[in-house]
Amino acid sequence: MASPTRRRLAAGLGAAALAAVDLGVKAWAVGSLQERVIPLGPVELRLAYNPGVAFSVGDGAPTWLVLTVTALVTAAVAVVAWRIAATPSPGRLPALALVLGGAIANVVDRAGDGVVTDYLHSGWFPTFNLADTAIVTGVALLVLTTLRHPTPATPSGDGTSGIG
């Protein structure tokens, strides 16, 4: 069984690799999809920019506010992943690495110009990117693993529930 340090390192490297791939694809999309659409069956590659968060919620909010809130949420996910890595938890750490990697990529992308670059378009769903896909997949895996392997709250001996 891997130590907490190894689990944290693996999750951090996974999140960093995902963020790097997504940012690389976003850079390619900006350079290659300005005036073109590439059909790929059920989706097409089409350049779009999102000044808001999921589904363009908050697209009228000041950039600094959207960036601050998303950075704080990303930091919270990192703290949760760090804490979860301290104990073996089937599936939870990879799920959080997906969420964290996607969140980091979108925060870094937004920090440059106040928008997130999107490039996957289905015609019936808002345009999205690899980071968004990782976040949604990670959240779904987190829910599924939590339902399959709930973590019981154990008394800590100090009057608290042991959670947190």
Side-chain angles (χ1 to χ4, degrees):
M1 186 159 303
S3 70
T5 300
R6 284 182 183 245
R7 287 192 299 272
R8 287 176 174 137
L9 181 61
L13 288 174
L18 174 71
V21 168
D22 177 72
L23 290 167
V25 174
K26 286 174 179 169
W28 171 84
V30 168
S32 300
L33 299 175
Q34 288 293 332
E35 299 294 326
R36 108 184 191 194
V37 173
I38 301 172
L40 298 175
V43 297
E44 58 187 22
L45 299 179
R46 176 185 295 195
L47 188 61
Y49 298 100
N50 183 357
V53 291
F55 309 110
S56 296
V57 171
D59 63 353
T63 300
W64 68 266
L65 179 62
V66 175
L67 183 59
T68 301
V69 169
T70 56
L72 288 172
V73 169
T74 301
V77 171
V79 169
V80 169
W82 180 267
R83 293 186 66 168
I84 282 181
T87 58
S89 52
R92 286 189 182 100
L93 196 55
L96 281 166
L98 285 170
V99 174
L100 183 58
I104 289 169
N106 280 342
V107 166
V108 169
D109 185 30
R110 181 182 308 282
D113 57 8
V115 296
V116 171
T117 306
D118 290 327
Y119 48 83
L120 297 169
H121 181 75
S122 67
W124 59 272
F125 195 76
T127 306
F128 56 101
N129 58 49
L130 177 64
D132 298 334
T133 303
I135 292 167
V136 170
T137 302
V139 168
L141 287 173
L142 190 57
V143 169
L144 290 173
T145 58
T146 300
L147 291 173
R148 289 193 73 201
H149 305 283
T151 305
T154 55
S156 63
D158 64 356
T160 64
S161 67
I163 300 173

